[in-house]
Amino acid sequence: MPDPTPRVALVTGAARGIGAATAVRLAQDGFAVAVLDLDESTAKETVDAIATHRGTAIAVGADVADESAVAAAVTRVVDELGAPTVLVNNAGITRDNLLFKMSPLDWDSVMGVHLRGSFLMTRAVQKHMVDAGWGRIVNLSSTSALGNRGQANYATAKAGIQGFTKTLAIELGRFGITANCIAPGFIASDMTKATAERIGVPWEQYVQDRAAAIPVQRAGEVDDIANAVSFFVDERAGFVSGQVLYVAGGPRA
Ligand code: NAP
């Protein structure tokens, strides 16, 4: 029997890639899902995929770095689905370049989506979790947080997300809320396709080269990350908080 009052999960950047897979997975886990992305019409594709599995979802268009858009989006989710008690801060962009060629705009854009976006979304949603006395926050970091050539902006933002997550765990734990980070390694998605394109390596070759350097000898798939999110938001993961899980096919420091 389906749960008569499913918990509501909000996933950002969920029109495609890791976010879309996560939204579908959480719907399969029994959550009603708000699929948030910049463009509501592309988010609708994920909603349609969820609907084919008889899940409940709505598409919400918003820029996570825009304070008023975030407030309006969360209000819409509350009105149309119910108060969200699961938040996955997944929306992300890259603006890679070596430091000497990196523009302030490239720096600010990456900080805006990853850090300001995660901050604004979490601040807007946490009160619903506090009211419910239960919540799950999962933030997307990256192995790049450990340092990566050409990604001074992205690596900094992804390291910042780890500090943000640990602080959320400390501040919000008393309200029954956990906060954890997933730091993916190489995952085949539009984001990594764009990187291959930028450095001029054919996609198949790029995947093969990256996989060869991964202990399990394959590229990550979006479902590898969706599965990890599913673990963190599970009722039974309530004693796991403030952690960074590297999902990278091998160990990271
Ligand atoms: P992706 O395929 O590029 O998807 C990112 C999604 O975020 C897109 O739908 C994008 O919308 C949306 N988005 C971008 N800026 C936004 C904003 N300001 N407000 C709302 N939505 C926005 O990326 P992905 O590979 O699935 O990555 C998802 C997350 O995992 C990111 O945080 C990324 O940094 C992280 N990650 C990925 C990898 C990897 O190997 N793929 C590794 C480590 C970490 P548009 O399409 O409209 O731009």
Side-chain angles (χ1 to χ4, degrees):
M1 284 285 286
D3 186 339
T5 52
R7 282 183 163 139
V8 175
L10 197 167
V11 184
T12 72
R16 56 195 169 92
I18 292 168
T22 297
V24 169
R25 177 60 200 261
L26 294 184
Q28 287 168 346
D29 289 347
F31 294 95
V33 183
V35 177
L36 187 148
D37 211 290
L38 277 174
D39 179 357
E40 185 167 329
S41 62
T42 54
K44 182 80 175 45
E45 290 170 27
T46 305
V47 169
D48 292 344
I50 289 171
T52 60
H53 294 96
R54 300 211 197 136
T56 303
I58 60 165
V60 182
D63 177 349
V64 295
D66 177 333
E67 187 177 4
S68 53
V70 165
V74 173
T75 300
R76 237 194 93 192
V77 173
V78 172
D79 291 347
E80 294 182 28
L81 273 189
T85 53
V86 171
L87 173 65
V88 183
N89 283 309
N90 167 82
I93 59 168
T94 51
R95 296 288 183 271
D96 297 351
N97 228 326
L98 292 174
L99 181 64
F100 78 102
K101 288 195 271 188
M102 188 173 284
S103 70
L105 179 62
D106 287 345
W107 177 271
D108 292 343
S109 304
V110 168
M111 296 304 154
V113 178
H114 294 275
L115 288 180
R116 183 181 161 84
S118 297
F119 158 66
L120 291 174
M121 286 301 310
T122 307
R123 196 184 57 163
V125 171
Q126 57 80 30
K127 60 179 171 289
H128 300 293
M129 299 181 180
V130 171
D131 288 348
W134 190 92
R136 298 279 188 266
I137 300 165
V138 183
N139 297 324
L140 268 292
S141 179
S142 167
T143 50
S144 294
L146 301 166
N148 199 23
R149 182 181 162 83
Q151 291 197 312
N153 49 3
Y154 185 80
T156 303
K158 291 307 200 186
I161 282 176
Q162 296 190 9
F164 178 60
T165 306
K166 289 175 189 186
T167 303
L168 296 176
I170 293 166
E171 288 191 15
L172 300 174
R174 71 191 61 192
F175 304 108
I177 300 166
T178 67
N180 291 286
C181 241
I182 296 171
F186 176 68
I187 308 294
S189 77
D190 289 346
M191 184 178 272
T192 42
K193 274 185 192 140
T195 305
E197 218 165 277
R198 185 176 57 79
I199 62 176
V201 179
W203 174 241
E204 300 304 328
Q205 184 62 47
Y206 188 62
V207 171
Q208 208 177 312
D209 293 349
R210 296 294 302 263
I214 296 171
V216 301
Q217 298 284 290
R218 70 166 174 87
E221 294 166 8
V222 291
D223 283 335
D224 290 315
I225 307 307
N227 289 337
V229 175
S230 176
F231 163 73
F232 279 128
V233 307
D234 192 278
E235 189 66 47
R236 292 164 290 186
F239 205 53
V240 182
S241 196
Q243 301 304 303
V244 179
L245 180 65
Y246 285 91
V247 181
R252 284 295 195 282

PDB file of all heavy atoms in Angstrom, residues 13 15-19 36-38 62-65 90-93 113-114 140-142 154 158 184-187 189-192, ligand 1:
ATOM      1  N   GLY A  13      18.623  21.072  -9.189  1.00  0.00           N
ATOM      2  CA  GLY A  13      19.388  20.661 -10.379  1.00  0.00           C
ATOM      3  C   GLY A  13      18.930  19.289 -10.855  1.00  0.00           C
ATOM      4  O   GLY A  13      19.744  18.477 -11.297  1.00  0.00           O
ATOM      5  N   ALA A  15      16.788  18.385 -13.325  1.00  0.00           N
ATOM      6  CA  ALA A  15      16.284  18.183 -14.692  1.00  0.00           C
ATOM      7  C   ALA A  15      17.078  17.101 -15.405  1.00  0.00           C
ATOM      8  O   ALA A  15      16.582  16.468 -16.339  1.00  0.00           O
ATOM      9  CB  ALA A  15      16.357  19.487 -15.480  1.00  0.00           C
ATOM     10  N   ARG A  16      18.328  16.919 -14.986  1.00  0.00           N
ATOM     11  CA  ARG A  16      19.153  15.910 -15.677  1.00  0.00           C
ATOM     12  C   ARG A  16      20.241  15.400 -14.749  1.00  0.00           C
ATOM     13  O   ARG A  16      20.367  15.853 -13.601  1.00  0.00           O
ATOM     14  CB  ARG A  16      19.758  16.479 -16.964  1.00  0.00           C
ATOM     15  CG  ARG A  16      20.589  17.732 -16.778  1.00  0.00           C
ATOM     16  CD  ARG A  16      20.816  18.400 -18.134  1.00  0.00           C
ATOM     17  NE  ARG A  16      21.391  19.734 -18.006  1.00  0.00           N
ATOM     18  CZ  ARG A  16      22.692  19.989 -18.028  1.00  0.00           C
ATOM     19  NH1 ARG A  16      23.551  19.011 -18.149  1.00  0.00           N
ATOM     20  NH2 ARG A  16      23.130  21.230 -17.925  1.00  0.00           N
ATOM     21  N   GLY A  17      21.041  14.466 -15.260  1.00  0.00           N
ATOM     22  CA  GLY A  17      22.221  13.987 -14.540  1.00  0.00           C
ATOM     23  C   GLY A  17      21.903  13.368 -13.184  1.00  0.00           C
ATOM     24  O   GLY A  17      20.892  12.676 -12.998  1.00  0.00           O
ATOM     25  N   ILE A  18      22.792  13.641 -12.240  1.00  0.00           N
ATOM     26  CA  ILE A  18      22.695  13.058 -10.903  1.00  0.00           C
ATOM     27  C   ILE A  18      21.389  13.476 -10.222  1.00  0.00           C
ATOM     28  O   ILE A  18      20.734  12.667  -9.555  1.00  0.00           O
ATOM     29  CB  ILE A  18      23.918  13.502 -10.060  1.00  0.00           C
ATOM     30  CG1 ILE A  18      25.196  12.861 -10.620  1.00  0.00           C
ATOM     31  CG2 ILE A  18      23.735  13.165  -8.588  1.00  0.00           C
ATOM     32  CD1 ILE A  18      26.496  13.438 -10.050  1.00  0.00           C
ATOM     33  N   GLY A  19      21.002  14.731 -10.397  1.00  0.00           N
ATOM     34  CA  GLY A  19      19.783  15.226  -9.758  1.00  0.00           C
ATOM     35  C   GLY A  19      18.543  14.496 -10.257  1.00  0.00           C
ATOM     36  O   GLY A  19      17.660  14.131  -9.461  1.00  0.00           O
ATOM     37  N   LEU A  36      13.429  20.560  -8.855  1.00  0.00           N
ATOM     38  CA  LEU A  36      13.750  21.984  -9.074  1.00  0.00           C
ATOM     39  C   LEU A  36      14.924  22.119 -10.026  1.00  0.00           C
ATOM     40  O   LEU A  36      15.929  21.416  -9.893  1.00  0.00           O
ATOM     41  CB  LEU A  36      14.073  22.639  -7.729  1.00  0.00           C
ATOM     42  CG  LEU A  36      14.279  24.150  -7.726  1.00  0.00           C
ATOM     43  CD1 LEU A  36      13.816  24.765  -6.398  1.00  0.00           C
ATOM     44  CD2 LEU A  36      15.742  24.537  -7.980  1.00  0.00           C
ATOM     45  N   ASP A  37      14.777  23.021 -10.981  1.00  0.00           N
ATOM     46  CA  ASP A  37      15.887  23.337 -11.877  1.00  0.00           C
ATOM     47  C   ASP A  37      15.677  24.748 -12.417  1.00  0.00           C
ATOM     48  O   ASP A  37      14.619  25.359 -12.207  1.00  0.00           O
ATOM     49  CB  ASP A  37      15.990  22.319 -13.024  1.00  0.00           C
ATOM     50  CG  ASP A  37      17.439  22.128 -13.482  1.00  0.00           C
ATOM     51  OD1 ASP A  37      17.993  23.068 -14.097  1.00  0.00           O
ATOM     52  OD2 ASP A  37      18.031  21.061 -13.225  1.00  0.00           O
ATOM     53  N   LEU A  38      16.673  25.257 -13.107  1.00  0.00           N
ATOM     54  CA  LEU A  38      16.579  26.612 -13.661  1.00  0.00           C
ATOM     55  C   LEU A  38      15.353  26.755 -14.533  1.00  0.00           C
ATOM     56  O   LEU A  38      14.642  27.750 -14.467  1.00  0.00           O
ATOM     57  CB  LEU A  38      17.831  26.905 -14.500  1.00  0.00           C
ATOM     58  CG  LEU A  38      19.086  27.382 -13.768  1.00  0.00           C
ATOM     59  CD1 LEU A  38      20.235  27.479 -14.763  1.00  0.00           C
ATOM     60  CD2 LEU A  38      18.849  28.717 -13.084  1.00  0.00           C
ATOM     61  N   ALA A  62      13.536  27.519 -10.730  1.00  0.00           N
ATOM     62  CA  ALA A  62      14.136  28.544  -9.862  1.00  0.00           C
ATOM     63  C   ALA A  62      15.657  28.491  -9.981  1.00  0.00           C
ATOM     64  O   ALA A  62      16.241  27.424 -10.198  1.00  0.00           O
ATOM     65  CB  ALA A  62      13.746  28.332  -8.397  1.00  0.00           C
ATOM     66  N   ASP A  63      16.261  29.663  -9.827  1.00  0.00           N
ATOM     67  CA  ASP A  63      17.720  29.755  -9.728  1.00  0.00           C
ATOM     68  C   ASP A  63      18.054  29.687  -8.236  1.00  0.00           C
ATOM     69  O   ASP A  63      17.634  30.559  -7.463  1.00  0.00           O
ATOM     70  CB  ASP A  63      18.164  31.094 -10.329  1.00  0.00           C
ATOM     71  CG  ASP A  63      19.663  31.330 -10.211  1.00  0.00           C
ATOM     72  OD1 ASP A  63      20.349  30.574  -9.500  1.00  0.00           O
ATOM     73  OD2 ASP A  63      20.147  32.299 -10.834  1.00  0.00           O
ATOM     74  N   VAL A  64      18.807  28.661  -7.838  1.00  0.00           N
ATOM     75  CA  VAL A  64      19.081  28.470  -6.403  1.00  0.00           C
ATOM     76  C   VAL A  64      19.893  29.621  -5.797  1.00  0.00           C
ATOM     77  O   VAL A  64      19.933  29.765  -4.579  1.00  0.00           O
ATOM     78  CB  VAL A  64      19.783  27.122  -6.116  1.00  0.00           C
ATOM     79  CG1 VAL A  64      18.886  25.945  -6.457  1.00  0.00           C
ATOM     80  CG2 VAL A  64      21.135  27.031  -6.828  1.00  0.00           C
ATOM     81  N   ALA A  65      20.530  30.407  -6.652  1.00  0.00           N
ATOM     82  CA  ALA A  65      21.346  31.528  -6.146  1.00  0.00           C
ATOM     83  C   ALA A  65      20.541  32.811  -5.971  1.00  0.00           C
ATOM     84  O   ALA A  65      21.073  33.833  -5.538  1.00  0.00           O
ATOM     85  CB  ALA A  65      22.521  31.779  -7.099  1.00  0.00           C
ATOM     86  N   ASN A  90      21.922  19.690  -5.036  1.00  0.00           N
ATOM     87  CA  ASN A  90      22.672  19.043  -6.121  1.00  0.00           C
ATOM     88  C   ASN A  90      23.018  19.995  -7.268  1.00  0.00           C
ATOM     89  O   ASN A  90      23.971  19.744  -8.006  1.00  0.00           O
ATOM     90  CB  ASN A  90      21.826  17.866  -6.651  1.00  0.00           C
ATOM     91  CG  ASN A  90      22.340  17.330  -7.960  1.00  0.00           C
ATOM     92  OD1 ASN A  90      23.270  16.533  -7.993  1.00  0.00           O
ATOM     93  ND2 ASN A  90      21.732  17.777  -9.069  1.00  0.00           N
ATOM     94  N   ALA A  91      22.272  21.092  -7.425  1.00  0.00           N
ATOM     95  CA  ALA A  91      22.499  21.990  -8.570  1.00  0.00           C
ATOM     96  C   ALA A  91      23.961  22.404  -8.619  1.00  0.00           C
ATOM     97  O   ALA A  91      24.562  22.725  -7.590  1.00  0.00           O
ATOM     98  CB  ALA A  91      21.619  23.233  -8.449  1.00  0.00           C
ATOM     99  N   GLY A  92      24.521  22.373  -9.808  1.00  0.00           N
ATOM    100  CA  GLY A  92      25.939  22.729  -9.910  1.00  0.00           C
ATOM    101  C   GLY A  92      26.336  23.143 -11.306  1.00  0.00           C
ATOM    102  O   GLY A  92      25.670  22.785 -12.288  1.00  0.00           O
ATOM    103  N   ILE A  93      27.413  23.890 -11.361  1.00  0.00           N
ATOM    104  CA  ILE A  93      27.998  24.292 -12.648  1.00  0.00           C
ATOM    105  C   ILE A  93      29.521  24.218 -12.527  1.00  0.00           C
ATOM    106  O   ILE A  93      30.054  24.216 -11.419  1.00  0.00           O
ATOM    107  CB  ILE A  93      27.616  25.739 -13.051  1.00  0.00           C
ATOM    108  CG1 ILE A  93      28.076  26.757 -11.987  1.00  0.00           C
ATOM    109  CG2 ILE A  93      26.124  25.862 -13.301  1.00  0.00           C
ATOM    110  CD1 ILE A  93      27.991  28.211 -12.445  1.00  0.00           C
ATOM    111  N   VAL A 113      26.235  29.392  -7.339  1.00  0.00           N
ATOM    112  CA  VAL A 113      25.354  28.223  -7.450  1.00  0.00           C
ATOM    113  C   VAL A 113      25.622  27.241  -6.305  1.00  0.00           C
ATOM    114  O   VAL A 113      24.697  26.805  -5.613  1.00  0.00           O
ATOM    115  CB  VAL A 113      25.522  27.524  -8.819  1.00  0.00           C
ATOM    116  CG1 VAL A 113      24.633  26.284  -8.889  1.00  0.00           C
ATOM    117  CG2 VAL A 113      25.198  28.479  -9.956  1.00  0.00           C
ATOM    118  N   HIS A 114      26.884  26.905  -6.082  1.00  0.00           N
ATOM    119  CA  HIS A 114      27.192  25.842  -5.105  1.00  0.00           C
ATOM    120  C   HIS A 114      27.034  26.317  -3.662  1.00  0.00           C
ATOM    121  O   HIS A 114      26.343  25.662  -2.868  1.00  0.00           O
ATOM    122  CB  HIS A 114      28.616  25.321  -5.323  1.00  0.00           C
ATOM    123  CG  HIS A 114      28.790  24.613  -6.623  1.00  0.00           C
ATOM    124  ND1 HIS A 114      28.501  23.283  -6.800  1.00  0.00           N
ATOM    125  CD2 HIS A 114      29.210  25.057  -7.836  1.00  0.00           C
ATOM    126  CE1 HIS A 114      28.729  22.943  -8.050  1.00  0.00           C
ATOM    127  NE2 HIS A 114      29.164  24.001  -8.705  1.00  0.00           N
ATOM    128  N   LEU A 140      25.867  17.919  -2.340  1.00  0.00           N
ATOM    129  CA  LEU A 140      26.802  17.332  -3.294  1.00  0.00           C
ATOM    130  C   LEU A 140      28.129  18.070  -3.272  1.00  0.00           C
ATOM    131  O   LEU A 140      28.197  19.239  -3.666  1.00  0.00           O
ATOM    132  CB  LEU A 140      26.200  17.353  -4.707  1.00  0.00           C
ATOM    133  CG  LEU A 140      25.423  16.111  -5.144  1.00  0.00           C
ATOM    134  CD1 LEU A 140      26.360  14.915  -5.311  1.00  0.00           C
ATOM    135  CD2 LEU A 140      24.330  15.728  -4.166  1.00  0.00           C
ATOM    136  N   SER A 141      29.147  17.375  -2.774  1.00  0.00           N
ATOM    137  CA  SER A 141      30.511  17.887  -2.857  1.00  0.00           C
ATOM    138  C   SER A 141      31.159  17.213  -4.066  1.00  0.00           C
ATOM    139  O   SER A 141      30.471  16.897  -5.051  1.00  0.00           O
ATOM    140  CB  SER A 141      31.252  17.587  -1.540  1.00  0.00           C
ATOM    141  OG  SER A 141      32.577  18.039  -1.585  1.00  0.00           O
ATOM    142  N   SER A 142      32.455  16.940  -4.007  1.00  0.00           N
ATOM    143  CA  SER A 142      33.161  16.319  -5.125  1.00  0.00           C
ATOM    144  C   SER A 142      34.555  15.915  -4.648  1.00  0.00           C
ATOM    145  O   SER A 142      35.098  16.527  -3.714  1.00  0.00           O
ATOM    146  CB  SER A 142      33.303  17.330  -6.274  1.00  0.00           C
ATOM    147  OG  SER A 142      34.230  16.875  -7.235  1.00  0.00           O
ATOM    148  N   TYR A 154      35.744  25.707  -8.400  1.00  0.00           N
ATOM    149  CA  TYR A 154      34.896  24.540  -8.097  1.00  0.00           C
ATOM    150  C   TYR A 154      35.422  23.775  -6.875  1.00  0.00           C
ATOM    151  O   TYR A 154      34.659  23.380  -5.994  1.00  0.00           O
ATOM    152  CB  TYR A 154      34.873  23.653  -9.340  1.00  0.00           C
ATOM    153  CG  TYR A 154      33.974  22.449  -9.304  1.00  0.00           C
ATOM    154  CD1 TYR A 154      32.604  22.564  -9.540  1.00  0.00           C
ATOM    155  CD2 TYR A 154      34.498  21.171  -9.080  1.00  0.00           C
ATOM    156  CE1 TYR A 154      31.792  21.451  -9.544  1.00  0.00           C
ATOM    157  CE2 TYR A 154      33.691  20.043  -9.095  1.00  0.00           C
ATOM    158  CZ  TYR A 154      32.334  20.185  -9.321  1.00  0.00           C
ATOM    159  OH  TYR A 154      31.529  19.076  -9.326  1.00  0.00           O
ATOM    160  N   LYS A 158      33.395  23.204  -3.468  1.00  0.00           N
ATOM    161  CA  LYS A 158      33.062  21.852  -3.005  1.00  0.00           C
ATOM    162  C   LYS A 158      33.675  21.567  -1.634  1.00  0.00           C
ATOM    163  O   LYS A 158      33.109  20.791  -0.848  1.00  0.00           O
ATOM    164  CB  LYS A 158      33.503  20.813  -4.039  1.00  0.00           C
ATOM    165  CG  LYS A 158      32.686  20.847  -5.329  1.00  0.00           C
ATOM    166  CD  LYS A 158      31.194  20.750  -5.067  1.00  0.00           C
ATOM    167  CE  LYS A 158      30.388  20.315  -6.268  1.00  0.00           C
ATOM    168  NZ  LYS A 158      28.933  20.366  -6.021  1.00  0.00           N
ATOM    169  N   PRO A 184      31.191  12.782  -5.127  1.00  0.00           N
ATOM    170  CA  PRO A 184      31.399  11.832  -6.232  1.00  0.00           C
ATOM    171  C   PRO A 184      32.778  11.995  -6.862  1.00  0.00           C
ATOM    172  O   PRO A 184      33.346  13.090  -6.890  1.00  0.00           O
ATOM    173  CB  PRO A 184      30.318  12.221  -7.251  1.00  0.00           C
ATOM    174  CG  PRO A 184      29.342  13.097  -6.520  1.00  0.00           C
ATOM    175  CD  PRO A 184      30.150  13.773  -5.448  1.00  0.00           C
ATOM    176  N   GLY A 185      33.261  10.872  -7.378  1.00  0.00           N
ATOM    177  CA  GLY A 185      34.416  10.926  -8.267  1.00  0.00           C
ATOM    178  C   GLY A 185      33.898  11.139  -9.678  1.00  0.00           C
ATOM    179  O   GLY A 185      32.931  11.887  -9.879  1.00  0.00           O
ATOM    180  N   PHE A 186      34.498  10.466 -10.642  1.00  0.00           N
ATOM    181  CA  PHE A 186      34.095  10.666 -12.040  1.00  0.00           C
ATOM    182  C   PHE A 186      32.759   9.972 -12.335  1.00  0.00           C
ATOM    183  O   PHE A 186      32.662   8.750 -12.266  1.00  0.00           O
ATOM    184  CB  PHE A 186      35.172  10.130 -12.984  1.00  0.00           C
ATOM    185  CG  PHE A 186      34.779  10.228 -14.431  1.00  0.00           C
ATOM    186  CD1 PHE A 186      34.659  11.459 -15.044  1.00  0.00           C
ATOM    187  CD2 PHE A 186      34.507   9.090 -15.173  1.00  0.00           C
ATOM    188  CE1 PHE A 186      34.272  11.566 -16.378  1.00  0.00           C
ATOM    189  CE2 PHE A 186      34.126   9.180 -16.508  1.00  0.00           C
ATOM    190  CZ  PHE A 186      34.018  10.420 -17.100  1.00  0.00           C
ATOM    191  N   ILE A 187      31.749  10.773 -12.670  1.00  0.00           N
ATOM    192  CA  ILE A 187      30.422  10.257 -13.014  1.00  0.00           C
ATOM    193  C   ILE A 187      30.102  10.687 -14.442  1.00  0.00           C
ATOM    194  O   ILE A 187      30.253  11.872 -14.783  1.00  0.00           O
ATOM    195  CB  ILE A 187      29.329  10.842 -12.072  1.00  0.00           C
ATOM    196  CG1 ILE A 187      29.688  10.653 -10.588  1.00  0.00           C
ATOM    197  CG2 ILE A 187      27.952  10.244 -12.399  1.00  0.00           C
ATOM    198  CD1 ILE A 187      29.738   9.235 -10.084  1.00  0.00           C
ATOM    199  N   SER A 189      28.168  12.175 -17.074  1.00  0.00           N
ATOM    200  CA  SER A 189      26.997  13.080 -17.114  1.00  0.00           C
ATOM    201  C   SER A 189      27.312  14.204 -18.098  1.00  0.00           C
ATOM    202  O   SER A 189      28.427  14.302 -18.619  1.00  0.00           O
ATOM    203  CB  SER A 189      26.716  13.674 -15.725  1.00  0.00           C
ATOM    204  OG  SER A 189      27.635  14.715 -15.442  1.00  0.00           O
ATOM    205  N   ASP A 190      26.327  15.081 -18.314  1.00  0.00           N
ATOM    206  CA  ASP A 190      26.558  16.213 -19.219  1.00  0.00           C
ATOM    207  C   ASP A 190      27.701  17.087 -18.719  1.00  0.00           C
ATOM    208  O   ASP A 190      28.437  17.677 -19.520  1.00  0.00           O
ATOM    209  CB  ASP A 190      25.286  17.065 -19.331  1.00  0.00           C
ATOM    210  CG  ASP A 190      24.201  16.349 -20.108  1.00  0.00           C
ATOM    211  OD1 ASP A 190      24.519  15.333 -20.766  1.00  0.00           O
ATOM    212  OD2 ASP A 190      23.045  16.792 -20.055  1.00  0.00           O
ATOM    213  N   MET A 191      27.849  17.168 -17.374  1.00  0.00           N
ATOM    214  CA  MET A 191      28.904  18.005 -16.813  1.00  0.00           C
ATOM    215  C   MET A 191      30.292  17.480 -17.224  1.00  0.00           C
ATOM    216  O   MET A 191      31.159  18.234 -17.644  1.00  0.00           O
ATOM    217  CB  MET A 191      28.783  18.051 -15.280  1.00  0.00           C
ATOM    218  CG  MET A 191      29.771  18.972 -14.611  1.00  0.00           C
ATOM    219  SD  MET A 191      29.555  19.053 -12.824  1.00  0.00           S
ATOM    220  CE  MET A 191      28.355  20.359 -12.668  1.00  0.00           C
ATOM    221  N   THR A 192      30.493  16.154 -17.128  1.00  0.00           N
ATOM    222  CA  THR A 192      31.800  15.593 -17.478  1.00  0.00           C
ATOM    223  C   THR A 192      31.979  15.522 -19.003  1.00  0.00           C
ATOM    224  O   THR A 192      33.093  15.612 -19.500  1.00  0.00           O
ATOM    225  CB  THR A 192      32.002  14.221 -16.799  1.00  0.00           C
ATOM    226  OG1 THR A 192      30.789  13.461 -16.886  1.00  0.00           O
ATOM    227  CG2 THR A 192      32.387  14.376 -15.344  1.00  0.00           C
TER     228      THR A 192
HETATM  229  P1  NAP B   1      24.721  18.370 -14.760  1.00  0.00           P
HETATM  230  O1  NAP B   1      24.411  17.190 -15.611  1.00  0.00           O
HETATM  231  O2  NAP B   1      25.422  19.532 -15.359  1.00  0.00           O
HETATM  232  O3  NAP B   1      23.350  18.858 -14.077  1.00  0.00           O
HETATM  233  C1  NAP B   1      23.338  19.965 -13.217  1.00  0.00           C
HETATM  234  C2  NAP B   1      21.927  20.515 -13.154  1.00  0.00           C
HETATM  235  O4  NAP B   1      21.943  21.665 -12.273  1.00  0.00           O
HETATM  236  C3  NAP B   1      21.418  20.998 -14.508  1.00  0.00           C
HETATM  237  O5  NAP B   1      20.109  20.538 -14.729  1.00  0.00           O
HETATM  238  C4  NAP B   1      21.472  22.503 -14.373  1.00  0.00           C
HETATM  239  O6  NAP B   1      20.499  23.203 -15.120  1.00  0.00           O
HETATM  240  C5  NAP B   1      21.184  22.682 -12.895  1.00  0.00           C
HETATM  241  N1  NAP B   1      21.564  24.005 -12.426  1.00  0.00           N
HETATM  242  C6  NAP B   1      22.691  24.698 -12.721  1.00  0.00           C
HETATM  243  N2  NAP B   1      22.682  25.895 -12.137  1.00  0.00           N
HETATM  244  C7  NAP B   1      21.514  25.983 -11.457  1.00  0.00           C
HETATM  245  C8  NAP B   1      20.918  26.989 -10.659  1.00  0.00           C
HETATM  246  N3  NAP B   1      21.526  28.170 -10.451  1.00  0.00           N
HETATM  247  N4  NAP B   1      19.704  26.758 -10.112  1.00  0.00           N
HETATM  248  C9  NAP B   1      19.066  25.579 -10.331  1.00  0.00           C
HETATM  249  N5  NAP B   1      19.585  24.587 -11.070  1.00  0.00           N
HETATM  250  C10 NAP B   1      20.786  24.786 -11.644  1.00  0.00           C
HETATM  251  O7  NAP B   1      25.603  17.956 -13.491  1.00  0.00           O
HETATM  252  P2  NAP B   1      25.799  16.530 -12.749  1.00  0.00           P
HETATM  253  O8  NAP B   1      26.998  15.899 -13.310  1.00  0.00           O
HETATM  254  O9  NAP B   1      24.515  15.798 -12.694  1.00  0.00           O
HETATM  255  O10 NAP B   1      26.228  17.066 -11.288  1.00  0.00           O
HETATM  256  C11 NAP B   1      25.288  17.214 -10.230  1.00  0.00           C
HETATM  257  C12 NAP B   1      26.050  17.614  -8.973  1.00  0.00           C
HETATM  258  O11 NAP B   1      27.061  16.650  -8.673  1.00  0.00           O
HETATM  259  C13 NAP B   1      26.764  18.964  -9.091  1.00  0.00           C
HETATM  260  O12 NAP B   1      26.706  19.635  -7.847  1.00  0.00           O
HETATM  261  C14 NAP B   1      28.182  18.560  -9.407  1.00  0.00           C
HETATM  262  O13 NAP B   1      29.090  19.553  -9.036  1.00  0.00           O
HETATM  263  C15 NAP B   1      28.308  17.293  -8.580  1.00  0.00           C
HETATM  264  N6  NAP B   1      29.367  16.386  -9.042  1.00  0.00           N
HETATM  265  C16 NAP B   1      29.321  15.825 -10.291  1.00  0.00           C
HETATM  266  C17 NAP B   1      30.352  14.973 -10.693  1.00  0.00           C
HETATM  267  C18 NAP B   1      30.382  14.310 -12.038  1.00  0.00           C
HETATM  268  O14 NAP B   1      31.378  13.607 -12.340  1.00  0.00           O
HETATM  269  N7  NAP B   1      29.377  14.442 -12.878  1.00  0.00           N
HETATM  270  C19 NAP B   1      31.412  14.699  -9.826  1.00  0.00           C
HETATM  271  C20 NAP B   1      31.420  15.303  -8.580  1.00  0.00           C
HETATM  272  C21 NAP B   1      30.393  16.129  -8.198  1.00  0.00           C
HETATM  273  P3  NAP B   1      20.803  23.655 -16.655  1.00  0.00           P
HETATM  274  O15 NAP B   1      20.840  22.407 -17.428  1.00  0.00           O
HETATM  275  O16 NAP B   1      19.641  24.548 -16.995  1.00  0.00           O
HETATM  276  O17 NAP B   1      22.114  24.376 -16.624  1.00  0.00           O
END
